[in-house]
Coordinates of all heavy atoms in Angstrom, one line a residue:
M9 N 5.9 -18.4 74.0 CA 5.7 -17.0 74.5 C 4.2 -16.7 74.2 O 3.7 -16.9 73.2 CB 6.6 -16.0 73.7 CG 6.6 -14.7 74.3 SD 7.6 -13.5 73.5 CE 9.1 -14.3 73.1
F10 N 3.6 -16.1 75.3 CA 2.2 -15.7 75.2 C 2.1 -14.2 75.3 O 2.9 -13.5 75.9 CB 1.4 -16.3 76.3 CG 1.6 -17.8 76.4 CD1 2.4 -18.4 77.3 CD2 0.9 -18.6 75.5 CE1 2.6 -19.8 77.3 CE2 1.0 -20.0 75.5 CZ 1.9 -20.6 76.5
T11 N 1.1 -13.7 74.6 CA 0.8 -12.3 74.7 C -0.5 -12.0 75.5 O -1.3 -12.9 75.6 CB 0.6 -11.6 73.3 OG1 -0.4 -12.3 72.6 CG2 1.9 -11.7 72.5
C12 N -0.5 -10.9 76.1 CA -1.7 -10.5 76.9 C -3.0 -10.6 76.0 O -3.0 -10.1 74.9 CB -1.5 -9.1 77.5 SG -3.0 -8.5 78.3
Q13 N -4.0 -11.2 76.6 CA -5.2 -11.4 75.8 C -6.0 -10.1 75.6 O -6.9 -10.0 74.7 CB -6.1 -12.5 76.4 CG -5.5 -13.9 76.2 CD -6.4 -15.0 76.6 OE1 -7.5 -14.7 77.1 NE2 -6.0 -16.2 76.4
L14 N -5.7 -9.1 76.5 CA -6.5 -7.9 76.3 C -5.8 -6.8 75.5 O -6.3 -6.4 74.4 CB -6.8 -7.3 77.7 CG -7.7 -6.1 77.8 CD1 -9.1 -6.4 77.2 CD2 -7.9 -5.6 79.2
C15 N -4.5 -6.5 75.8 CA -3.8 -5.5 75.1 C -3.1 -6.1 73.9 O -2.8 -5.4 72.9 CB -2.9 -4.7 75.9 SG -1.5 -5.6 76.6
Q16 N -2.8 -7.3 74.0 CA -2.1 -8.1 72.9 C -0.7 -7.5 72.5 O -0.3 -7.5 71.4 CB -3.0 -8.2 71.7 CG -4.2 -9.0 72.0 CD -5.1 -9.2 70.8 OE1 -5.0 -8.5 69.8 NE2 -6.1 -10.1 70.9
Q17 N -0.1 -6.9 73.6 CA 1.2 -6.3 73.3 C 2.2 -6.8 74.3 O 3.4 -7.0 73.9 CB 1.1 -4.7 73.4 CG 0.3 -4.1 72.3 CD 0.2 -2.6 72.4 OE1 0.5 -2.1 73.5 NE2 -0.2 -2.0 71.4
E18 N 1.8 -6.9 75.6 CA 2.8 -7.3 76.6 C 2.9 -8.9 76.6 O 2.0 -9.6 76.2 CB 2.3 -6.9 78.0 CG 2.2 -5.4 78.1 CD 3.6 -4.7 78.1 OE1 4.5 -5.3 78.7 OE2 3.7 -3.7 77.5
T19 N 4.1 -9.3 77.1 CA 4.3 -10.8 77.1 C 3.9 -11.3 78.5 O 4.2 -10.7 79.5 CB 5.8 -11.1 76.9 OG1 6.2 -10.5 75.7 CG2 6.0 -12.6 76.9
C20 N 3.1 -12.4 78.5 CA 2.7 -13.0 79.8 C 3.1 -14.5 79.8 O 2.9 -15.1 78.8 CB 1.1 -12.9 79.9 SG 0.5 -11.3 79.8
Y21 N 3.6 -14.9 80.9 CA 4.0 -16.3 81.0 C 3.0 -17.1 81.9 O 2.8 -18.3 81.6 CB 5.4 -16.4 81.6 CG 6.4 -15.8 80.7 CD1 6.9 -14.5 80.9 CD2 6.8 -16.4 79.5 CE1 7.9 -13.9 80.1 CE2 7.7 -15.9 78.7 CZ 8.3 -14.6 79.0 OH 9.2 -14.1 78.1
I22 N 2.5 -16.5 82.9 CA 1.7 -17.2 83.9 C 0.2 -16.9 83.7 O -0.7 -17.8 83.6 CB 2.1 -16.9 85.3 CG1 3.6 -17.3 85.5 CG2 1.2 -17.6 86.3 CD1 4.2 -16.9 86.8
Y23 N -0.1 -15.6 83.6 CA -1.5 -15.1 83.6 C -1.9 -14.8 82.2 O -1.1 -14.6 81.3 CB -1.7 -13.9 84.5 CG -1.3 -14.2 85.9 CD1 -0.2 -13.6 86.5 CD2 -2.1 -14.9 86.7 CE1 0.2 -13.9 87.8 CE2 -1.8 -15.2 88.1 CZ -0.6 -14.7 88.6 OH -0.3 -14.9 89.9
K24 N -3.3 -14.7 82.0 CA -3.8 -14.3 80.7 C -3.6 -12.9 80.4 O -3.5 -12.5 79.2 CB -5.3 -14.6 80.6 CG -5.6 -16.1 80.6 CD -7.1 -16.5 80.7 CE -8.1 -15.6 80.4 NZ -9.5 -16.1 80.5
Y25 N -3.5 -12.0 81.4 CA -3.4 -10.6 81.2 C -2.0 -10.1 81.8 O -1.5 -10.6 82.8 CB -4.5 -9.9 81.9 CG -5.9 -10.4 81.5 CD1 -6.7 -11.0 82.4 CD2 -6.3 -10.2 80.2 CE1 -7.9 -11.5 82.0 CE2 -7.6 -10.7 79.8 CZ -8.4 -11.3 80.7 OH -9.6 -11.8 80.3
C26 N -1.5 -9.0 81.3 CA -0.3 -8.3 81.8 C -0.7 -7.6 83.1 O -1.9 -7.5 83.4 CB 0.3 -7.4 80.8 SG -0.7 -6.0 80.4
D27 N 0.2 -7.0 83.8 CA -0.1 -6.3 85.0 C -1.1 -5.2 84.8 O -2.0 -5.0 85.6 CB 1.2 -5.7 85.7 CG 2.1 -6.9 86.2 OD1 1.6 -8.0 86.4 OD2 3.3 -6.6 86.4
T28 N -0.9 -4.4 83.8 CA -1.8 -3.3 83.5 C -3.2 -3.7 83.2 O -4.2 -3.2 83.8 CB -1.2 -2.5 82.3 OG1 0.1 -2.0 82.6 CG2 -2.1 -1.3 82.0
C29 N -3.3 -4.8 82.4 CA -4.6 -5.2 82.0 C -5.3 -6.0 83.2 O -6.5 -6.0 83.3 CB -4.5 -6.1 80.8 SG -4.0 -5.2 79.3
Q30 N -4.5 -6.5 84.1 CA -5.1 -7.1 85.3 C -5.7 -6.0 86.1 O -6.8 -6.3 86.7 CB -4.0 -7.9 86.1 CG -3.6 -9.2 85.5 CD -2.6 -9.9 86.4 OE1 -2.2 -9.5 87.5 NE2 -2.1 -11.0 85.8
N31 N -5.1 -4.9 86.2 CA -5.7 -3.7 86.9 C -7.0 -3.3 86.2 O -8.0 -3.0 86.8 CB -4.8 -2.6 87.0 CG -3.7 -2.8 88.1 OD1 -4.0 -3.6 89.0 ND2 -2.6 -2.2 87.9
V32 N -7.0 -3.3 84.9 CA -8.2 -2.9 84.1 C -9.3 -3.9 84.4 O -10.4 -3.6 84.6 CB -7.9 -2.8 82.6 CG1 -9.1 -2.7 81.8 CG2 -6.9 -1.7 82.3
K33 N -8.9 -5.2 84.4 CA -9.9 -6.3 84.7 C -10.5 -6.1 86.1 O -11.7 -6.3 86.3 CB -9.1 -7.6 84.6 CG -10.0 -8.8 84.8 CD -10.9 -9.1 83.5 CE -11.6 -10.4 83.7 NZ -13.0 -10.2 84.1
R34 N -9.6 -5.7 87.1 CA -10.2 -5.5 88.4 C -11.2 -4.4 88.4 O -12.2 -4.5 89.1 CB -9.0 -5.2 89.4 CG -8.2 -6.5 89.8 CD -7.2 -6.2 90.8 NE -6.2 -7.2 90.8 CZ -4.9 -7.0 90.4 NH1 -4.5 -5.8 90.1 NH2 -4.1 -8.0 90.3
I35 N -10.9 -3.3 87.7 CA -11.8 -2.2 87.6 C -13.1 -2.6 87.0 O -14.2 -2.3 87.4 CB -11.2 -1.0 86.9 CG1 -10.0 -0.5 87.7 CG2 -12.2 0.1 86.6 CD1 -9.1 0.5 86.9
M36 N -13.0 -3.5 85.9 CA -14.2 -4.0 85.2 C -15.0 -4.9 86.2 O -16.2 -4.9 86.1 CB -13.8 -4.7 84.0 CG -13.3 -3.8 82.8 SD -12.7 -4.7 81.4 CE -14.1 -5.7 81.0
N37 N -14.3 -5.6 87.0 CA -15.0 -6.4 88.0 C -15.8 -5.6 89.0 O -16.9 -6.0 89.4 CB -14.0 -7.4 88.7 CG -13.5 -8.5 87.8 OD1 -14.1 -8.7 86.8 ND2 -12.4 -9.1 88.2
C38 N -15.2 -4.4 89.3 CA -15.9 -3.6 90.3 C -17.1 -2.8 89.7 O -18.2 -2.8 90.2 CB -14.9 -2.5 90.9 SG -13.7 -3.2 91.9
Y39 N -16.9 -2.3 88.5 CA -17.9 -1.4 87.9 C -18.7 -2.1 86.8 O -19.8 -1.6 86.4 CB -17.2 -0.2 87.3 CG -16.7 0.8 88.3 CD1 -15.3 0.7 88.6 CD2 -17.5 1.6 89.0 CE1 -14.8 1.5 89.6 CE2 -16.9 2.5 90.0 CZ -15.6 2.4 90.3 OH -15.1 3.2 91.2
G40 N -18.3 -3.2 86.3 CA -18.9 -3.9 85.2 C -18.4 -3.5 83.9 O -18.0 -2.3 83.7
A41 N -18.3 -4.4 83.0 CA -17.7 -4.1 81.6 C -18.5 -3.0 80.9 O -17.9 -2.1 80.3 CB -17.7 -5.4 80.8
K42 N -19.8 -3.0 81.0 CA -20.6 -2.0 80.2 C -20.4 -0.6 80.8 O -20.3 0.3 80.0 CB -22.1 -2.4 80.3 CG -22.5 -3.6 79.5 CD -24.0 -3.9 79.5 CE -24.3 -5.1 78.6 NZ -25.7 -5.4 78.6
E43 N -20.3 -0.5 82.1 CA -20.1 0.8 82.7 C -18.7 1.3 82.3 O -18.5 2.5 81.9 CB -20.2 0.8 84.2 CG -20.0 2.1 84.9 CD -21.0 3.2 84.5 OE1 -22.1 2.8 84.1 OE2 -20.7 4.3 84.7
V44 N -17.7 0.4 82.4 CA -16.3 0.8 82.0 C -16.3 1.2 80.5 O -15.6 2.2 80.1 CB -15.3 -0.3 82.3 CG1 -13.9 0.0 81.7 CG2 -15.2 -0.5 83.8
L45 N -16.9 0.5 79.7 CA -17.0 0.8 78.2 C -17.7 2.1 78.0 O -17.2 3.0 77.2 CB -17.7 -0.3 77.5 CG -17.8 -0.1 76.0 CD1 -16.4 0.0 75.3 CD2 -18.6 -1.2 75.3
A46 N -18.8 2.4 78.8 CA -19.5 3.7 78.7 C -18.5 4.8 79.1 O -18.5 5.9 78.4 CB -20.7 3.7 79.5
I47 N -17.8 4.6 80.1 CA -16.8 5.7 80.6 C -15.8 5.9 79.5 O -15.4 7.1 79.2 CB -16.2 5.3 81.9 CG1 -17.2 5.3 83.0 CG2 -15.0 6.2 82.3 CD1 -16.8 4.7 84.3
L48 N -15.2 4.8 79.0 CA -14.2 5.0 77.9 C -14.7 5.7 76.7 O -14.1 6.5 76.1 CB -13.6 3.6 77.6 CG -12.8 2.9 78.6 CD1 -12.4 1.5 78.2 CD2 -11.5 3.7 78.9
N49 N -15.9 5.3 76.3 CA -16.6 6.0 75.2 C -16.8 7.5 75.5 O -16.5 8.3 74.6 CB -17.9 5.4 74.8 CG -17.7 4.1 74.1 OD1 -16.7 3.9 73.4 ND2 -18.7 3.2 74.2
R50 N -17.2 7.8 76.7 CA -17.5 9.2 77.0 C -16.2 10.0 77.2 O -16.2 11.2 76.8 CB -18.3 9.2 78.4 CG -19.1 10.4 78.6 CD -20.1 10.3 79.8 NE -19.5 9.8 81.0 CZ -19.9 8.7 81.6 NH1 -20.9 8.0 81.1 NH2 -19.4 8.3 82.7
V51 N -15.1 9.4 77.7 CA -13.9 10.1 78.0 C -12.9 10.1 76.8 O -12.3 11.1 76.4 CB -13.3 9.6 79.2 CG1 -11.9 10.3 79.5 CG2 -14.2 9.8 80.4
C52 N -12.7 8.9 76.2 CA -11.7 8.7 75.2 C -12.1 9.0 73.8 O -11.3 9.5 73.0 CB -11.1 7.3 75.3 SG -10.4 6.9 76.9
L53 N -13.3 8.7 73.5 CA -13.8 8.9 72.1 C -14.5 10.3 72.0 O -15.3 10.6 72.8 CB -14.7 7.8 71.7 CG -14.2 6.4 71.8 CD1 -15.2 5.4 71.3 CD2 -12.9 6.2 71.0
R54 N -14.1 11.0 71.0 CA -14.6 12.4 70.9 C -15.1 12.6 69.5 O -14.5 12.2 68.5 CB -13.5 13.4 71.3 CG -13.1 13.3 72.7 CD -12.0 14.2 73.1 NE -11.8 14.2 74.5 CZ -12.3 15.0 75.3 NH1 -13.1 16.0 74.9 NH2 -12.1 14.9 76.6
N55 N -16.2 13.4 69.4 CA -16.6 13.7 68.0 C -15.8 14.9 67.6 O -15.0 15.5 68.3 CB -18.2 14.0 68.0 CG -18.6 15.1 68.9 OD1 -17.8 16.1 69.1 ND2 -19.8 15.1 69.4
T56 N -16.1 15.4 66.3 CA -15.3 16.5 65.7 C -15.4 17.7 66.6 O -14.4 18.4 66.8 CB -15.8 16.8 64.3 OG1 -15.9 15.5 63.6 CG2 -14.9 17.7 63.6
Q57 N -16.6 18.1 67.1 CA -16.7 19.3 67.9 C -15.9 19.2 69.1 O -15.2 20.1 69.5 CB -18.2 19.5 68.2 CG -18.5 20.8 68.9 CD -20.0 20.9 69.2 OE1 -20.7 20.0 69.3 NE2 -20.4 22.2 69.5
Q58 N -16.0 18.0 69.8 CA -15.2 17.8 71.0 C -13.7 17.9 70.7 O -12.9 18.4 71.5 CB -15.6 16.5 71.7 CG -17.0 16.5 72.2 CD -17.4 15.1 72.6 OE1 -17.1 14.1 71.9 NE2 -18.2 15.0 73.7
Q59 N -13.3 17.3 69.6 CA -11.9 17.4 69.2 C -11.4 18.8 69.0 O -10.4 19.2 69.4 CB -11.7 16.6 67.9 CG -11.7 15.1 68.1 CD -11.7 14.4 66.7 OE1 -11.7 15.0 65.7 NE2 -11.6 13.1 66.8
D60 N -12.3 19.7 68.4 CA -12.0 21.1 68.2 C -11.8 21.8 69.5 O -10.9 22.6 69.7 CB -13.1 21.8 67.4 CG -13.0 21.3 65.9 OD1 -12.0 20.8 65.5 OD2 -14.1 21.5 65.2
Y61 N -12.7 21.5 70.5 CA -12.6 22.1 71.8 C -11.2 21.7 72.4 O -10.5 22.5 73.0 CB -13.7 21.6 72.7 CG -15.1 22.2 72.4 CD1 -16.2 21.5 72.5 CD2 -15.2 23.6 72.1 CE1 -17.4 22.0 72.3 CE2 -16.4 24.1 71.8 CZ -17.5 23.4 71.9 OH -18.8 23.9 71.7
K62 N -10.9 20.4 72.3 CA -9.7 19.9 72.9 C -8.4 20.6 72.2 O -7.5 21.0 72.9 CB -9.6 18.4 72.8 CG -8.4 17.7 73.4 CD -8.4 17.8 74.9 CE -7.3 17.0 75.5 NZ -7.2 17.2 76.9
I63 N -8.5 20.6 70.9 CA -7.4 21.2 70.2 C -7.2 22.7 70.6 O -6.1 23.2 70.9 CB -7.6 21.1 68.7 CG1 -7.4 19.6 68.2 CG2 -6.6 22.0 67.9 CD1 -7.9 19.3 66.9
N64 N -8.3 23.4 70.7 CA -8.2 24.9 71.0 C -7.7 25.0 72.5 O -6.9 25.9 72.7 CB -9.6 25.5 70.9 CG -10.0 25.7 69.5 OD1 -9.2 25.8 68.6 ND2 -11.3 25.7 69.2
K65 N -8.2 24.1 73.4 CA -7.7 24.2 74.7 C -6.2 23.9 74.8 O -5.4 24.6 75.5 CB -8.4 23.1 75.6 CG -8.1 23.2 77.0 CD -8.8 22.1 77.8 CE -8.3 22.1 79.2 NZ -8.8 20.9 80.0
E66 N -5.7 22.9 74.0 CA -4.3 22.6 74.0 C -3.5 23.7 73.4 O -2.4 24.1 74.0 CB -4.0 21.3 73.2 CG -4.6 20.0 73.8 CD -3.8 19.6 75.0 OE1 -2.6 19.8 75.1 OE2 -4.4 19.0 75.9
L67 N -4.0 24.3 72.4 CA -3.3 25.5 71.8 C -3.2 26.6 72.7 O -2.2 27.3 72.8 CB -4.0 25.9 70.5 CG -3.9 25.0 69.3 CD1 -4.7 25.5 68.1 CD2 -2.4 24.9 68.9
K68 N -4.3 26.9 73.5 CA -4.3 28.0 74.5 C -3.2 27.7 75.5 O -2.5 28.6 75.9 CB -5.6 28.1 75.1 CG -6.6 28.9 74.3 CD -7.9 29.0 75.0 CE -9.0 29.7 74.1 NZ -10.3 29.7 74.7
E69 N -3.2 26.4 76.0 CA -2.2 26.1 77.1 C -0.8 26.2 76.5 O 0.1 26.7 77.2 CB -2.5 24.7 77.6 CG -3.7 24.6 78.4 CD -4.1 23.2 78.9 OE1 -3.3 22.3 78.6 OE2 -5.1 23.0 79.5
T70 N -0.5 25.7 75.3 CA 0.8 25.8 74.7 C 1.2 27.3 74.6 O 2.3 27.7 74.9 CB 0.8 25.2 73.3 OG1 0.4 23.8 73.5 CG2 2.2 25.2 72.7
F71 N 0.2 28.1 74.1 CA 0.5 29.6 73.9 C 0.8 30.2 75.3 O 1.7 31.0 75.4 CB -0.7 30.3 73.3 CG -0.5 31.7 73.1 CD1 0.4 32.3 72.2 CD2 -1.2 32.6 73.9 CE1 0.5 33.6 72.1 CE2 -1.1 34.0 73.8 CZ -0.2 34.5 72.9
K72 N 0.0 29.8 76.3 CA 0.2 30.4 77.7 C 1.6 30.0 78.2 O 2.3 30.8 78.8 CB -0.9 29.9 78.6 CG -0.9 30.5 79.9 CD -2.1 30.0 80.8 CE -2.0 30.6 82.2 NZ -3.0 30.0 83.0
K73 N 2.0 28.7 78.0 CA 3.3 28.3 78.5 C 4.4 29.0 77.8 O 5.4 29.4 78.4 CB 3.5 26.8 78.2 CG 2.7 25.9 79.2 CD 2.9 24.4 78.8 CE 2.1 23.5 79.7 NZ 2.1 22.1 79.3
S74 N 4.3 29.3 76.5 CA 5.3 30.0 75.8 C 5.3 31.4 76.2 O 6.4 32.1 76.3 CB 5.1 29.9 74.3 OG 4.0 30.6 73.9
L75 N 4.2 32.0 76.6 CA 4.1 33.3 77.1 C 4.7 33.4 78.5 O 5.5 34.4 78.8 CB 2.6 33.8 77.2 CG 2.3 35.3 77.3 CD1 2.8 36.0 76.0 CD2 0.8 35.5 77.4
D76 N 4.5 32.4 79.3 CA 5.1 32.4 80.6 C 6.6 32.3 80.5 O 7.3 32.9 81.3 CB 4.6 31.2 81.4 CG 3.1 31.4 81.9 OD1 2.6 32.6 81.8 OD2 2.5 30.4 82.3
K77 N 7.1 31.5 79.6 CA 8.6 31.4 79.4 C 9.2 32.7 79.0 O 10.2 33.1 79.4 CB 8.9 30.3 78.3 CG 8.8 28.9 78.8 CD 9.3 27.9 77.8 CE 9.2 26.5 78.3 NZ 9.5 25.5 77.3
T78 N 8.4 33.4 78.1 CA 8.9 34.8 77.7 C 8.9 35.7 78.9 O 9.9 36.5 79.0 CB 7.9 35.3 76.6 OG1 7.8 34.4 75.6 CG2 8.4 36.6 76.1
K79 N 7.9 35.6 79.7 CA 7.9 36.5 80.9 C 9.1 36.2 81.9 O 9.6 37.0 82.5 CB 6.6 36.4 81.7 CG 5.4 37.1 81.0 CD 4.1 37.0 81.7 CE 3.0 37.6 81.0 NZ 1.7 37.4 81.7
E80 N 9.4 34.9 82.0 CA 10.5 34.4 82.9 C 11.8 35.0 82.4 O 12.7 35.3 83.2 CB 10.6 32.9 82.9 CG 9.5 32.3 83.8 CD 9.5 30.8 83.7 OE1 10.5 30.2 83.1 OE2 8.6 30.1 84.2
N81 N 11.9 35.1 81.1 CA 13.2 35.6 80.5 C 13.3 37.1 80.6 O 14.4 37.7 80.5 CB 13.3 35.2 79.0 CG 13.5 33.7 78.9 OD1 14.0 33.1 79.8 ND2 13.1 33.1 77.8
D82 N 12.2 37.8 80.8 CA 12.2 39.3 81.0 C 12.8 39.6 82.3 O 12.7 38.9 83.3 CB 10.8 39.8 80.9 CG 10.3 39.9 79.5 OD1 11.1 39.7 78.6 OD2 9.1 40.1 79.3
V83 N 13.4 40.8 82.4 CA 14.0 41.2 83.7 C 12.8 41.7 84.6 O 11.9 42.3 84.1 CB 14.9 42.4 83.4 CG1 15.5 43.0 84.7 CG2 16.0 42.0 82.5
D84 N 13.0 41.4 85.8 CA 11.9 41.8 86.8 C 12.0 43.3 87.0 O 12.9 43.8 87.7 CB 12.1 41.1 88.1 CG 11.0 41.3 89.1 OD1 10.0 41.9 88.7 OD2 11.1 41.0 90.3
K85 N 11.1 44.1 86.4 CA 11.2 45.5 86.5 C 10.7 46.1 87.8 O 10.8 47.2 88.1 CB 10.4 46.1 85.3 CG 11.0 45.8 84.0 CD 10.2 46.4 82.8 CE 10.9 46.1 81.5 NZ 10.2 46.5 80.4
T86 N 10.1 45.2 88.6 CA 9.7 45.7 89.9 C 10.8 45.7 90.9 O 10.7 46.2 92.0 CB 8.5 44.8 90.5 OG1 9.0 43.5 90.5 CG2 7.3 44.9 89.6
D87 N 11.9 45.0 90.5 CA 13.1 45.0 91.4 C 13.7 46.4 91.6 O 13.8 47.1 90.6 CB 14.1 44.0 90.8 CG 15.3 43.8 91.7 OD1 15.2 44.3 92.9 OD2 16.2 43.1 91.3
A88 N 14.0 46.8 92.8 CA 14.5 48.1 93.1 C 15.8 48.4 92.4 O 16.1 49.5 92.0 CB 14.6 48.3 94.6
S89 N 16.6 47.3 92.2 CA 17.9 47.5 91.6 C 17.8 47.6 90.1 O 18.8 47.9 89.4 CB 18.8 46.3 91.9 OG 18.3 45.1 91.4
Y90 N 16.7 47.4 89.5 CA 16.5 47.5 88.1 C 16.6 49.0 87.6 O 15.9 49.8 88.2 CB 15.2 46.9 87.6 CG 14.9 47.0 86.1 CD1 15.6 46.2 85.2 CD2 14.1 48.0 85.7 CE1 15.4 46.4 83.9 CE2 13.9 48.2 84.3 CZ 14.5 47.3 83.4 OH 14.3 47.5 82.1
E91 N 17.4 49.2 86.7 CA 17.6 50.6 86.1 C 17.1 50.6 84.7 O 17.5 49.8 83.9 CB 19.0 51.0 86.2 CG 19.2 52.5 85.9 CD 20.7 52.9 86.1 OE1 21.3 52.3 87.0 OE2 21.1 53.8 85.5
T92 N 16.2 51.5 84.4 CA 15.6 51.6 83.1 C 16.8 51.9 82.1 O 17.6 52.8 82.3 CB 14.6 52.7 83.0 OG1 13.6 52.5 84.0 CG2 13.9 52.7 81.7
P93 N 16.8 51.2 81.0 CA 17.9 51.4 80.0 C 17.7 52.8 79.4 O 16.6 53.3 79.2 CB 17.7 50.3 79.0 CG 16.4 49.7 79.3 CD 16.0 50.1 80.7
I94 N 18.9 53.4 79.1 CA 18.9 54.7 78.5 C 18.7 54.5 77.0 O 19.4 53.7 76.3 CB 20.2 55.4 78.7 CG1 20.4 55.6 80.2 CG2 20.2 56.8 78.0 CD1 21.8 56.1 80.6
T95 N 17.7 55.2 76.4 CA 17.4 55.1 75.0 C 17.8 56.4 74.4 O 18.1 57.4 75.0 CB 16.0 54.7 74.7 OG1 15.2 55.8 75.3 CG2 15.6 53.4 75.3
R96 N 17.8 56.4 73.1 CA 18.2 57.6 72.3 C 17.2 58.7 72.6 O 17.6 59.9 72.8 CB 18.2 57.3 70.8 CG 19.4 57.6 70.1 CD 19.3 57.4 68.7 NE 19.9 56.2 68.3 CZ 19.8 55.6 67.1 NH1 19.1 56.2 66.2 NH2 20.4 54.5 66.9
N97 N 16.0 58.5 72.7 CA 15.0 59.5 72.8 C 14.8 59.9 74.3 O 14.4 61.0 74.6 CB 13.6 59.0 72.3 CG 13.6 58.8 70.8 OD1 14.4 59.4 70.1 ND2 12.8 57.9 70.4
K98 N 15.2 59.0 75.2 CA 15.0 59.3 76.6 C 16.4 59.2 77.3 O 16.7 58.2 77.8 CB 14.0 58.4 77.2 CG 13.7 58.7 78.7 CD 12.7 57.7 79.2 CE 12.4 57.9 80.6 NZ 11.5 56.9 81.2
K99 N 17.2 60.3 77.3 CA 18.5 60.3 77.9 C 18.4 60.5 79.4 O 17.6 61.3 79.9 CB 19.4 61.4 77.2 CG 19.7 61.1 75.8 CD 20.7 62.1 75.2 CE 21.0 61.7 73.8 NZ 21.8 62.7 73.2
K100 N 19.3 59.8 80.1 CA 19.3 59.9 81.5 C 19.9 61.2 81.9 O 21.0 61.5 81.4 CB 20.0 58.7 82.1 CG 20.0 58.7 83.6 CD 20.7 57.5 84.1 CE 20.7 57.4 85.6 NZ 21.4 56.3 86.1
T101 N 19.3 61.9 82.8 CA 19.9 63.2 83.2 C 20.2 63.1 84.7 O 19.4 62.6 85.5 CB 18.9 64.4 82.9 OG1 17.7 64.1 83.6 CG2 18.7 64.6 81.4
N102 N 21.3 63.7 85.0 CA 21.7 63.7 86.4 C 21.5 65.0 87.1 O 21.8 65.3 88.2 CB 23.2 63.3 86.6 CG 23.4 61.9 86.2 OD1 22.5 61.1 86.4 ND2 24.6 61.5 85.8
S103 N 20.9 66.0 86.3 CA 20.7 67.3 86.8 C 19.6 67.3 87.9 O 18.7 66.4 87.9 CB 20.3 68.3 85.7 OG 19.0 67.8 85.1
I104 N 19.6 68.3 88.7 CA 18.7 68.4 89.8 C 17.4 69.0 89.4 O 17.3 69.9 88.7 CB 19.3 69.2 91.0 CG1 20.6 68.5 91.5 CG2 18.3 69.3 92.2 CD1 21.3 69.2 92.5
Ligands
ZN10 ZN1 -2.2 -6.3 78.6

């Protein structure tokens, strides 16, 4: 049994690289290994400041999603059939 020479995780019987790594290799053939490495460094590797930006962005998106879910659970008050609930302080009156 052979493992992929690039990712060293997938099993390969015929080729040196697994299907995924063959695609990576094709991209490297097009752009060159140094350019691909530069892109990976620029996109995948982040310093502490960049990590903080990413964390804050993710937290904002998570908060926004939870806020959207809360809004979805709320009754649509713009609907004409919606009747405002009667509260103790604001009793519904049928008088003219
Ligand atoms: Zn691989």
Side-chain angles (χ1 to χ4, degrees):
M9 190 179 319
F10 305 101
T11 55
C12 173
Q13 290 189 355
L14 188 59
C15 67
Q16 298 182 344
Q17 291 178 347
E18 297 293 322
T19 303
C20 303
Y21 296 103
I22 300 172
Y23 301 107
K24 289 175 17 178
Y25 306 113
C26 67
D27 291 342
T28 303
C29 292
Q30 283 180 9
N31 285 332
V32 172
K33 181 79 172 99
R34 284 186 203 111
I35 294 169
M36 285 176 59
N37 289 343
C38 291
Y39 293 98
K42 287 184 181 179
E43 181 64 25
V44 171
L45 182 61
I47 291 168
L48 291 175
N49 283 333
R50 201 166 51 239
V51 174
C52 298
L53 302 181
R54 296 175 173 268
N55 62 29
T56 308
Q57 186 181 19
Q58 291 169 322
Q59 288 173 354
D60 288 342
Y61 287 141
K62 182 71 175 172
I63 290 167
N64 288 335
K65 184 182 173 192
E66 291 290 327
L67 287 175
K68 281 181 185 174
E69 287 177 6
T70 303
F71 177 72
K72 189 178 176 186
K73 283 179 186 173
S74 66
L75 198 63
D76 288 344
K77 281 185 181 177
T78 306
K79 284 181 181 176
E80 285 175 8
N81 292 335
D82 284 349
V83 178
D84 185 12
K85 293 181 180 177
T86 58
D87 187 5
S89 64
Y90 176 77
E91 189 173 331
T92 307
I94 301 169
T95 59
R96 232 186 260 171
N97 296 333
K98 186 180 177 185
K99 291 185 179 178
K100 186 177 180 183
T101 56
N102 291 335
S103 63
I104 302 173

